[in-house]
Amino acid sequence: MSAIQNRSLVLLGDSYTTFKDHIPEGNYVYYPRETVPDVTDVEMTWWRILIRKHDLRLLCNESSSGTTISTKVRETHTIKDAFISRMKRVLGPEGVNGQKPEVIIIMGGTNDSWIGNEAGQTQFGEWTDENLLQVIPAACYMLDYITAHNPSAQILFLINCGLRPEIESGLISACTHYGVPFHLLQNISKQNGHPDVEGMRQIAQQAEQALCQP
């Protein structure tokens, strides 16, 4: 039996973790999409591969395409779409319908990198609205909140390959401070900047290795 077998799971992500009819109503969907033509079924996604293999119990997939960790969002989004807003729906004191996840996987920062959001510096308290417009202070705020309300959960932060260096290094520093394990994704196969079927398999494999390592 694996270290994560039969455990409850919450996902907090962006487009890489979406699929039509498998995320909360009102969140933005990316998959399926003609620009990544081979990802046609939810069973092809990295997270479903992981769930199926380890019999995980998905409490919620709180993912939304195009979303940023910070509150500096795309023109088509609002602050309510940011990671630091959406996390409070499922990773706060009430959990998901009263259930706290045993495993939490976070995958974010890609859109912050793509749209040129300012990275900022690690900051471990006294965040202002202005601070949270920057990626790394917002990431610290997010990890502070999630770890405080889910002290028993196994958390993994998947850091996408191809992020701006200052965002990658800042996310690593934030994770290190809060004791959150992270994994730097390597050589993920993508089309239009998003994982294709092979990329989904690669993410699933790398996430599994990170979660199940001794």
Side-chain angles (χ1 to χ4, degrees), residues 14-25 27-33 39-43 45 47-48 61 63 65:
D14 51 31
S15 59
Y16 283 38
T17 314
T18 66
F19 203 91
K20 185 180 179 182
D21 299 327
H22 291 269
I23 58 175
E25 185 176 353
N27 286 15
Y28 293 81
V29 175
Y30 187 86
Y31 292 97
R33 182 72 60 108
V39 181
T40 58
D41 189 281
V42 69
E43 295 301 326
T45 61
W47 49 277
R48 282 296 301 170
N61 180 358
S63 297
S65 181

Side-chain angles (χ1 to χ4, degrees), residues 57-118:
R57 295 179 290 109
L58 182 64
L59 300 182
C60 186
N61 180 358
E62 181 48 71
S63 297
S64 189
S65 181
T67 54
T68 53
I69 294 174
S70 65
T71 54
K72 188 174 182 182
V73 298
R74 292 178 181 270
E75 291 182 1
T76 52
H77 293 68
T78 71
I79 290 174
K80 291 181 180 180
D81 298 312
F83 276 60
I84 63 172
S85 300
R86 291 186 293 109
M87 68 179 180
K88 295 176 182 177
R89 304 175 188 172
V90 292
L91 294 171
E94 302 302 321
V96 181
N97 298 321
Q99 294 187 70
K100 288 292 190 77
E102 296 168 290
V103 179
I104 299 167
I105 304 177
I106 306 164
M107 191 175 186
T110 299
N111 290 292
D112 293 277
S113 185
W114 282 353
I115 69 174
N117 284 354
E118 185 177 349

Side-chain angles (χ1 to χ4, degrees), residues 40-208:
T40 58
D41 189 281
V42 69
E43 295 301 326
M44 298 173 171
T45 61
W46 70 267
W47 49 277
R48 282 296 301 170
I49 294 169
L50 196 65
I51 287 169
R52 187 170 63 251
K53 184 171 181 180
H54 295 277
D55 294 319
L56 291 162
R57 295 179 290 109
L58 182 64
L59 300 182
C60 186
N61 180 358
E62 181 48 71
S63 297
S64 189
S65 181
T67 54
T68 53
I69 294 174
S70 65
T71 54
K72 188 174 182 182
V73 298
R74 292 178 181 270
E75 291 182 1
T76 52
H77 293 68
T78 71
I79 290 174
K80 291 181 180 180
D81 298 312
F83 276 60
I84 63 172
S85 300
R86 291 186 293 109
M87 68 179 180
K88 295 176 182 177
R89 304 175 188 172
V90 292
L91 294 171
E94 302 302 321
V96 181
N97 298 321
Q99 294 187 70
K100 288 292 190 77
E102 296 168 290
V103 179
I104 299 167
I105 304 177
I106 306 164
M107 191 175 186
T110 299
N111 290 292
D112 293 277
S113 185
W114 282 353
I115 69 174
N117 284 354
E118 185 177 349
Q121 304 294 322
T122 51
Q123 180 180 345
F124 305 123
E126 299 182 356
W127 299 277
T128 65
D129 289 345
E130 186 175 356
N131 298 146
L132 298 178
L133 290 167
Q134 298 178 319
V135 186
I136 305 310
C140 293
Y141 175 82
M142 175 176 70
L143 295 179
D144 185 272
Y145 182 91
I146 292 173
T147 55
H149 291 295
N150 301 273
S152 300
Q154 180 179 355
I155 305 173
L156 175 64
F157 199 128
L158 293 175
I159 300 176
N160 197 10
C161 47
L163 299 185
R164 293 181 359 236
E166 64 272 26
I167 290 180
E168 178 183 298
S169 62
L171 291 176
I172 291 171
S173 295
C175 288
T176 301
H177 177 84
Y178 287 102
V180 172
F182 62 90
H183 174 74
L184 297 171
L185 293 173
Q186 302 291 326
N187 302 315
I188 302 302
S189 178
K190 301 176 184 179
Q191 297 183 44
N192 192 42
H194 291 75
D196 51 22
V197 163
E198 179 59 24
M200 290 291 188
R201 293 191 191 111
Q202 292 167 328
I203 294 172
Q205 182 181 38
Q206 292 181 34
E208 178 185 40

